[in-house]
Amino acid sequence: MGHDERDHALLSASSAHRWLKCTKSARLEEQFPDTTSEAAKEGTLAHELAELKVRNYFNPGDVSKRKLTFAIKKFKEDPLWDDEMLIHTDTYIDYIRDVSIKLPATPFVEVEKRVDFSDYVPEGFGTADCIMIQGNTLFVIDFKYGKGVPVSAEENPQMMLYALGAYEACKILYPIERIRLGIVQPRLPDGISEWECTLEELLQFGAYAKERATLAFAGEGEFAPGEKTCKFCRAKKQCRARSDHNVKMAFNLGELPPLITKEEAGQRLLAMRDVVAYQKDLQEWALSECLAGNEVPGWKAVEGRRSRDWTDMDAAFEKLTKSGVVAEEILWEKKPLTMAQVEKTIGKKDFADAVGEFVTQKPGKPTLVEASDKRHAITNKVTAQEAFKEEN
Ligand code: SF4
C-alpha cells in the first residue's frame, strides 16, 4: 500500500495523544476535512524511500540494489524531492541496523506492517514503520520526518498502540515480555528517542486506552483543552471548549494583588501557553469566513500592504545599465550562503571534513522554556569557579 493511500480510523494511533485526554475530540473532528500539508506529503515521500531501504537491507531478494536505485531515480522526479532525504533515511536505516546487529540472533522483521489494535480501540488499526521480534523482545520503530516538534518515545501512545497490535498478532508464536520503542527523527539534532517497558505495563496502558477509546468512540467523556492536546486538532479554530478555556486564561484573573509573585508568574505562563496560538487560529478562521463573504461582527477582510515586483527584471536592469544610469556591479550584491546552506549543499560529512575546523559554537540567546525541557538551566550568576579564575 502506498503511504499516501493509508486510510485512517476514527481513533487513529497518531491522534491517540488527543482522544485519550480529550475524548470528545474525535467525533468533533469528524466535521472537518482531513487536509494534507506540504510537509506531510514530503514526509510521505521520505517514508516511501525509507521503507525501500529497510526492505533492501533485510530482504534484498525482495528489493534489490538495482530496484532501489531505480526507485530513487523515480523519487527524484517528484517536486518535493530533496537530496537530503537520502541522508536522513540513511540515519533511520543505520539505527535499525545498529539495533538488529546487537541482538543475539537475527530478528523477525516486518516493514510497513498493518497492525490491528481493535481489541483495545474500536475499529483501531494503523501501519507501523518497522517491527522486530527477537527472543522475548518486541521492537516498534517509527520514522518521523518532521523537523518542528521533537517526539518522545516515552509512553508514546501511538507507539504503544502499535505495540499492542503487534503483540496480539504474535503472542502465540513469541514469548514477548519486553517492549522497546524507538523513534528516529533524523532532521532534529537530538533525533533519536527510545523507551522500554514490560509487557505488564503495556497491557496496563491497553486497559486504560480501552476505557478512554470506548468513551471517545461514543463521543462521550470530556473536552480537555490544552496546548499540546489542541495543537493538531482539526476542530481547534472553532472548538468552544478551547475558546472558553483560552478566554478564561487571558481574562479571568480573579483577585488582583498589587504585585504578582514568581510562583504566580510561573503558573500563569503555564496556563497561558496556548492563548497566543489560539488567537492566531481564531484570526485565520475569521479571515477565511470574511473572505467567503460571511459576516464576523466587528471584523472585515482588507487588502494588506501592497508590494512591488518587476514585470521583467532583466529588461529593467539592461535599460538602467545601457542608458548609463547605474553600473551593473551596483545592481547586484554578492552574498555568502549561510552555514546551514553550505552544509546542505555539500553534505554533512564533507562539510565536517573540509571546514569543520572553522566552525565555532556561539552561545544561544537565553530562552525561557518549561522545566521539563531536557537542556541544562543557565543563570547570569557568577560561579565560585569563575570568580576565582577572574581573581587570578
Ligand atoms: S480543540 Fe482541543 S478541546 Fe477542542 S476538541 Fe480539539 S483537542 Fe479537544
Short mmCIF file of all heavy atoms in Angstrom, two decimals, residues 96-130:
data_model
loop_
_atom_site.label_atom_id
_atom_site.label_comp_id
_atom_site.label_asym_id
_atom_site.label_seq_id
_atom_site.Cartn_x
_atom_site.Cartn_y
_atom_site.Cartn_z
N ILE A 96 18.19 1.18 12.68
CA ILE A 96 17.61 -0.17 12.65
C ILE A 96 18.73 -1.22 12.58
O ILE A 96 18.69 -2.25 13.26
CB ILE A 96 16.65 -0.31 11.45
CG1 ILE A 96 15.45 0.60 11.66
CG2 ILE A 96 16.20 -1.75 11.26
CD1 ILE A 96 14.43 0.56 10.56
N ARG A 97 19.73 -0.93 11.76
CA ARG A 97 20.86 -1.86 11.62
C ARG A 97 21.57 -2.03 12.96
O ARG A 97 21.83 -3.15 13.40
CB ARG A 97 21.83 -1.30 10.58
CG ARG A 97 22.91 -2.28 10.17
CD ARG A 97 23.90 -1.64 9.22
NE ARG A 97 23.35 -1.39 7.91
CZ ARG A 97 23.42 -0.23 7.25
NH1 ARG A 97 24.02 0.81 7.81
NH2 ARG A 97 22.92 -0.09 6.06
N ASP A 98 21.83 -0.91 13.63
CA ASP A 98 22.51 -0.97 14.94
C ASP A 98 21.73 -1.81 15.94
O ASP A 98 22.29 -2.63 16.65
CB ASP A 98 22.63 0.45 15.54
CG ASP A 98 23.83 1.17 14.97
OD1 ASP A 98 24.50 0.57 14.11
OD2 ASP A 98 24.07 2.32 15.38
N VAL A 99 20.41 -1.58 15.98
CA VAL A 99 19.58 -2.33 16.93
C VAL A 99 19.63 -3.82 16.60
O VAL A 99 19.83 -4.67 17.47
CB VAL A 99 18.11 -1.82 16.89
CG1 VAL A 99 17.20 -2.71 17.71
CG2 VAL A 99 18.03 -0.38 17.41
N SER A 100 19.48 -4.14 15.32
CA SER A 100 19.40 -5.57 14.95
C SER A 100 20.74 -6.28 15.10
O SER A 100 20.78 -7.44 15.51
CB SER A 100 18.84 -5.73 13.53
OG SER A 100 19.72 -5.15 12.61
N ILE A 101 21.85 -5.57 14.80
CA ILE A 101 23.18 -6.21 14.89
C ILE A 101 23.52 -6.58 16.34
O ILE A 101 24.15 -7.60 16.59
CB ILE A 101 24.26 -5.27 14.28
CG1 ILE A 101 24.22 -5.39 12.76
CG2 ILE A 101 25.65 -5.59 14.79
CD1 ILE A 101 25.10 -4.43 12.03
N LYS A 102 23.05 -5.77 17.28
CA LYS A 102 23.38 -6.04 18.69
C LYS A 102 22.58 -7.21 19.27
O LYS A 102 22.84 -7.65 20.39
CB LYS A 102 23.11 -4.77 19.52
CG LYS A 102 24.20 -3.72 19.32
CD LYS A 102 23.90 -2.49 20.13
CE LYS A 102 24.77 -1.33 19.68
NZ LYS A 102 24.11 -0.05 19.82
N LEU A 103 21.60 -7.69 18.54
CA LEU A 103 20.78 -8.78 19.07
C LEU A 103 21.52 -10.12 18.97
O LEU A 103 22.33 -10.30 18.05
CB LEU A 103 19.46 -8.86 18.29
CG LEU A 103 18.57 -7.61 18.40
CD1 LEU A 103 17.38 -7.71 17.47
CD2 LEU A 103 18.10 -7.41 19.84
N PRO A 104 21.23 -11.04 19.89
CA PRO A 104 21.96 -12.32 19.86
C PRO A 104 21.63 -13.19 18.64
O PRO A 104 22.39 -14.09 18.29
CB PRO A 104 21.52 -13.00 21.16
CG PRO A 104 20.31 -12.29 21.61
CD PRO A 104 20.35 -10.92 21.06
N ALA A 105 20.50 -12.97 18.02
CA ALA A 105 20.15 -13.76 16.82
C ALA A 105 19.39 -12.85 15.85
O ALA A 105 18.89 -11.80 16.24
CB ALA A 105 19.30 -14.95 17.22
N THR A 106 19.30 -13.30 14.60
CA THR A 106 18.60 -12.49 13.58
C THR A 106 17.13 -12.32 13.98
O THR A 106 16.45 -13.31 14.28
CB THR A 106 18.67 -13.21 12.21
OG1 THR A 106 20.03 -13.56 12.00
CG2 THR A 106 18.17 -12.31 11.10
N PRO A 107 16.67 -11.08 14.00
CA PRO A 107 15.26 -10.89 14.40
C PRO A 107 14.28 -11.19 13.27
O PRO A 107 14.65 -11.18 12.10
CB PRO A 107 15.23 -9.39 14.74
CG PRO A 107 16.28 -8.78 13.88
CD PRO A 107 17.35 -9.81 13.68
N PHE A 108 13.04 -11.41 13.66
CA PHE A 108 11.95 -11.47 12.67
C PHE A 108 11.56 -10.01 12.41
O PHE A 108 11.38 -9.23 13.35
CB PHE A 108 10.77 -12.25 13.27
CG PHE A 108 9.51 -12.11 12.49
CD1 PHE A 108 9.35 -12.78 11.29
CD2 PHE A 108 8.48 -11.28 12.94
CE1 PHE A 108 8.18 -12.63 10.55
CE2 PHE A 108 7.31 -11.13 12.21
CZ PHE A 108 7.18 -11.81 11.01
N VAL A 109 11.49 -9.64 11.15
CA VAL A 109 11.25 -8.22 10.83
C VAL A 109 10.03 -8.05 9.93
O VAL A 109 9.82 -8.81 8.98
CB VAL A 109 12.49 -7.61 10.09
CG1 VAL A 109 12.26 -6.13 9.77
CG2 VAL A 109 13.74 -7.77 10.92
N GLU A 110 9.23 -7.05 10.25
CA GLU A 110 8.10 -6.67 9.38
C GLU A 110 8.23 -5.19 9.10
O GLU A 110 8.43 -4.39 10.02
CB GLU A 110 6.76 -6.91 10.11
CG GLU A 110 6.39 -8.36 10.27
CD GLU A 110 5.58 -8.90 9.11
OE1 GLU A 110 5.65 -8.33 8.01
OE2 GLU A 110 4.87 -9.90 9.31
N VAL A 111 8.13 -4.82 7.82
CA VAL A 111 8.24 -3.40 7.45
C VAL A 111 6.87 -2.93 6.97
O VAL A 111 6.17 -3.66 6.26
CB VAL A 111 9.28 -3.22 6.31
CG1 VAL A 111 9.50 -1.75 6.02
CG2 VAL A 111 10.59 -3.88 6.69
N GLU A 112 6.51 -1.71 7.36
CA GLU A 112 5.21 -1.15 6.98
C GLU A 112 4.10 -2.17 7.28
O GLU A 112 3.35 -2.58 6.40
CB GLU A 112 5.19 -0.79 5.50
CG GLU A 112 5.97 0.44 5.18
CD GLU A 112 5.44 1.67 5.89
OE1 GLU A 112 4.23 1.92 5.83
OE2 GLU A 112 6.25 2.37 6.53
N LYS A 113 4.05 -2.57 8.52
CA LYS A 113 3.12 -3.63 8.92
C LYS A 113 1.80 -3.04 9.40
O LYS A 113 1.78 -2.18 10.29
CB LYS A 113 3.79 -4.44 10.04
CG LYS A 113 2.94 -5.49 10.65
CD LYS A 113 2.76 -6.66 9.74
CE LYS A 113 1.84 -7.70 10.36
NZ LYS A 113 1.26 -8.59 9.35
N ARG A 114 0.72 -3.50 8.79
CA ARG A 114 -0.60 -3.06 9.27
C ARG A 114 -0.86 -3.78 10.58
O ARG A 114 -0.81 -5.01 10.65
CB ARG A 114 -1.67 -3.39 8.24
CG ARG A 114 -3.04 -2.83 8.64
CD ARG A 114 -4.05 -3.17 7.57
NE ARG A 114 -5.40 -3.06 8.07
CZ ARG A 114 -6.27 -2.13 7.69
NH1 ARG A 114 -5.93 -1.25 6.82
NH2 ARG A 114 -7.49 -2.11 8.20
N VAL A 115 -1.11 -3.01 11.64
CA VAL A 115 -1.36 -3.62 12.94
C VAL A 115 -2.81 -3.34 13.36
O VAL A 115 -3.31 -2.24 13.17
CB VAL A 115 -0.38 -3.10 14.03
CG1 VAL A 115 0.95 -3.79 13.93
CG2 VAL A 115 -0.20 -1.60 13.98
N ASP A 116 -3.42 -4.37 13.91
CA ASP A 116 -4.82 -4.27 14.30
C ASP A 116 -4.87 -4.22 15.83
O ASP A 116 -4.49 -5.16 16.50
CB ASP A 116 -5.53 -5.54 13.77
CG ASP A 116 -7.01 -5.55 14.11
OD1 ASP A 116 -7.39 -4.89 15.10
OD2 ASP A 116 -7.77 -6.23 13.40
N PHE A 117 -5.30 -3.07 16.37
CA PHE A 117 -5.39 -2.98 17.83
C PHE A 117 -6.85 -2.79 18.26
O PHE A 117 -7.16 -2.13 19.24
CB PHE A 117 -4.46 -1.90 18.41
CG PHE A 117 -4.48 -0.58 17.70
CD1 PHE A 117 -5.41 0.39 18.02
CD2 PHE A 117 -3.55 -0.30 16.70
CE1 PHE A 117 -5.43 1.61 17.36
CE2 PHE A 117 -3.57 0.93 16.05
CZ PHE A 117 -4.50 1.89 16.38
N SER A 118 -7.75 -3.41 17.44
CA SER A 118 -9.18 -3.23 17.70
C SER A 118 -9.65 -3.96 18.98
O SER A 118 -10.77 -3.75 19.42
CB SER A 118 -10.01 -3.66 16.49
OG SER A 118 -9.70 -4.99 16.17
N ASP A 119 -8.78 -4.80 19.56
CA ASP A 119 -9.14 -5.40 20.86
C ASP A 119 -9.16 -4.33 21.94
O ASP A 119 -9.73 -4.51 23.01
CB ASP A 119 -8.10 -6.46 21.27
CG ASP A 119 -8.28 -7.74 20.48
OD1 ASP A 119 -9.28 -7.83 19.75
OD2 ASP A 119 -7.42 -8.63 20.57
N TYR A 120 -8.50 -3.22 21.66
CA TYR A 120 -8.38 -2.15 22.67
C TYR A 120 -9.14 -0.88 22.24
O TYR A 120 -9.66 -0.16 23.08
CB TYR A 120 -6.90 -1.79 22.88
CG TYR A 120 -6.11 -2.98 23.34
CD1 TYR A 120 -5.53 -3.85 22.43
CD2 TYR A 120 -6.00 -3.26 24.70
CE1 TYR A 120 -4.83 -4.97 22.85
CE2 TYR A 120 -5.30 -4.38 25.13
CZ TYR A 120 -4.73 -5.23 24.20
OH TYR A 120 -4.05 -6.34 24.62
N VAL A 121 -9.11 -0.61 20.92
CA VAL A 121 -9.70 0.63 20.40
C VAL A 121 -10.69 0.25 19.31
O VAL A 121 -10.30 -0.44 18.36
CB VAL A 121 -8.57 1.52 19.82
CG1 VAL A 121 -9.14 2.74 19.12
CG2 VAL A 121 -7.59 1.92 20.90
N PRO A 122 -11.96 0.66 19.41
CA PRO A 122 -12.92 0.28 18.38
C PRO A 122 -12.41 0.62 16.97
O PRO A 122 -11.98 1.77 16.73
CB PRO A 122 -14.17 1.11 18.72
CG PRO A 122 -14.03 1.44 20.17
CD PRO A 122 -12.57 1.51 20.46
N GLU A 123 -12.44 -0.36 16.10
CA GLU A 123 -12.01 -0.22 14.70
C GLU A 123 -10.55 0.25 14.58
O GLU A 123 -10.16 0.83 13.57
CB GLU A 123 -12.93 0.74 13.93
CG GLU A 123 -14.37 0.26 13.87
CD GLU A 123 -15.33 1.26 13.26
OE1 GLU A 123 -14.89 2.30 12.72
OE2 GLU A 123 -16.55 1.00 13.33
N GLY A 124 -9.77 0.03 15.63
CA GLY A 124 -8.39 0.56 15.65
C GLY A 124 -7.41 -0.24 14.82
O GLY A 124 -7.28 -1.46 14.95
N PHE A 125 -6.75 0.45 13.91
CA PHE A 125 -5.67 -0.17 13.14
C PHE A 125 -4.69 0.94 12.74
O PHE A 125 -5.01 2.13 12.84
CB PHE A 125 -6.21 -0.86 11.87
CG PHE A 125 -6.73 0.11 10.85
CD1 PHE A 125 -5.89 0.62 9.87
CD2 PHE A 125 -8.04 0.56 10.90
CE1 PHE A 125 -6.37 1.55 8.94
CE2 PHE A 125 -8.52 1.49 9.99
CZ PHE A 125 -7.68 1.98 8.99
N GLY A 126 -3.54 0.55 12.31
CA GLY A 126 -2.55 1.54 11.87
C GLY A 126 -1.42 0.83 11.14
O GLY A 126 -1.46 -0.39 10.96
N THR A 127 -0.44 1.59 10.70
CA THR A 127 0.69 0.98 9.99
C THR A 127 1.98 1.34 10.72
O THR A 127 2.34 2.52 10.82
CB THR A 127 0.76 1.49 8.53
OG1 THR A 127 -0.53 1.32 7.95
CG2 THR A 127 1.78 0.71 7.73
N ALA A 128 2.65 0.30 11.24
CA ALA A 128 3.91 0.53 11.95
C ALA A 128 5.06 0.51 10.95
O ALA A 128 5.09 -0.35 10.06
CB ALA A 128 4.10 -0.55 13.01
N ASP A 129 5.99 1.45 11.07
CA ASP A 129 7.08 1.53 10.10
C ASP A 129 7.96 0.29 10.14
O ASP A 129 8.34 -0.24 9.10
CB ASP A 129 7.94 2.78 10.38
CG ASP A 129 7.17 4.05 10.04
OD1 ASP A 129 6.22 3.96 9.25
OD2 ASP A 129 7.52 5.12 10.58
N CYS A 130 8.33 -0.15 11.33
CA CYS A 130 9.19 -1.33 11.42
C CYS A 130 8.93 -2.06 12.74
O CYS A 130 8.92 -1.43 13.81
CB CYS A 130 10.66 -0.90 11.32
SG CYS A 130 11.79 -2.29 11.41
#
